[in-house]
Amino acid sequence: MSRDNAPPLLATDLEGIILPEIWIAVAKKTGIDELKSTTRDVADYDELMQTRLAVLRHHGLTIHDIQSVIATMDLLPGAADFLLWARRIMPLIIITDSYYELINPFAAQLSYATAFAHNLIVDTDGTITGYRLRVQYSKRLALRSFRQLGFRTVAIGDSYNDIAMLREAHLGLLFNAPENVHDDYPQFATTTSYDELRESIRAYLKLPLPDRNTESGGIAQTHDNEGVGGITS
């Protein structure tokens, strides 16, 4: 099967693409600036997480404190519409270096989309003592596997930990990436809105352009011939 005839699959990061950054929200709520750093700032994931865990211990914050902040959060404006549009065209999988303990509360807002995440190690009193990766290099391995399974892959990310995933995809897109990430990896197209994401994906998949009667208010209404390979979600 040629690549153009292969069924498409979209893999997207979560925070910064669909959700606001959870750790930044916690930092704003608690006033602890050390928690503002994310994978946009620090390329070494273990270094970042060890810093976060040390800060949580120092301030006596538990999983319950973090989840109380999460309970006040919503998807980024326009994200739900983009997810709906994408899932009408192809399978969509969220691949995040966040944790099920943090993202499960968003399941309903995400329309129960499939998500690959990791796990936190939490004591009975709610103290977060560590983290457990599902597998090393999970984003890269997932995209490599999707390609081997015969999918035409599109990946969306915004941070250093997404770069390996974008490299493995047939089409890798940065979304609202900070200047340092964009400057370090100029080979990836940068998009700054969900409309730009749609147009980049539509052009790559050679989908017909929408008309005003079928796409309005940011939600794409699927044409009978817009789905690729007959797969819809």
Side-chain angles (χ1 to χ4, degrees):
M1 179 184 294
S2 71
R3 182 192 301 177
D4 286 348
N5 292 326
L9 181 146
L10 174 62
T12 180
D13 183 31
L14 183 60
E15 295 177 67
I17 311 296
I18 305 300
L19 285 179
E21 294 282 351
I22 292 173
W23 291 98
I24 290 178
V26 173
K28 290 179 178 178
K29 180 67 174 180
T30 61
I32 303 173
D33 287 343
E34 297 97 316
L35 292 176
K36 287 183 178 179
S37 294
T38 71
T39 51
R40 290 176 165 217
D41 312 299
V42 182
D44 187 317
Y45 185 75
D46 184 66
E47 175 188 339
L48 176 63
M49 279 305 302
Q50 294 302 333
T51 298
R52 287 170 171 170
L53 293 173
V55 171
L56 294 179
R57 286 194 297 269
H58 177 74
H59 291 275
L61 295 179
T62 69
I63 187 68
H64 310 301
D65 298 305
I66 297 174
Q67 289 175 340
S68 69
V69 176
I70 290 172
T72 69
M73 296 175 63
D74 293 310
L75 304 190
L76 290 169
D81 290 349
F82 173 74
L83 289 176
L84 176 61
W85 175 83
R87 294 179 74 183
R88 286 173 170 172
I89 294 170
M90 57 188 158
L92 179 146
I93 297 178
I94 295 168
I95 307 178
T96 175
D97 279 332
S98 188
Y99 304 92
Y100 287 114
E101 293 82 1
L102 304 186
I103 70 170
N104 280 342
F106 297 104
Q109 293 189 62
L110 295 170
S111 299
Y112 301 96
T114 298
F116 296 169
H118 305 298
N119 286 106
L120 292 170
I121 302 171
V122 183
D123 279 350
T124 55
D125 64 355
T127 300
I128 303 173
T129 61
Y131 68 96
R132 185 182 298 109
L133 297 182
R134 183 170 34 79
V135 64
Q136 287 279 0
Y137 314 117
S138 61
K139 294 189 177 190
R140 183 180 71 191
L141 291 176
L143 266 293
R144 183 176 296 173
S145 297
F146 296 149
R147 289 183 61 145
Q148 292 172 345
L149 288 169
F151 287 102
R152 186 166 31 140
T153 53
V154 179
I156 304 170
D158 69 332
S159 302
Y160 286 113
N161 65 324
D162 297 317
I163 296 303
M165 173 173 74
L166 302 190
R167 283 174 171 159
E168 288 289 341
H170 292 105
L171 174 66
L173 298 169
L174 288 170
F175 179 72
N176 280 336
E179 185 175 350
N180 54 302
V181 175
H182 178 266
D183 289 347
D184 287 347
Y185 298 97
Q187 66 267 41
F188 298 114
T190 297
T191 57
T192 58
S193 70
Y194 294 114
D195 283 342
E196 289 182 6
L197 274 181
R198 288 187 187 92
E199 290 311 308
S200 295
I201 293 169
R202 183 180 282 117
Y204 176 70
L205 298 180
K206 300 178 182 178
L207 300 179
L209 292 174
D211 59 44
R212 293 182 179 179
N213 293 324
T214 58
E215 188 167 298
S216 61
I219 302 177
Q221 304 296 323
T222 306
H223 293 275
D224 289 342
N225 63 342
E226 186 174 51
V228 178
I231 299 175
T232 57
S233 298

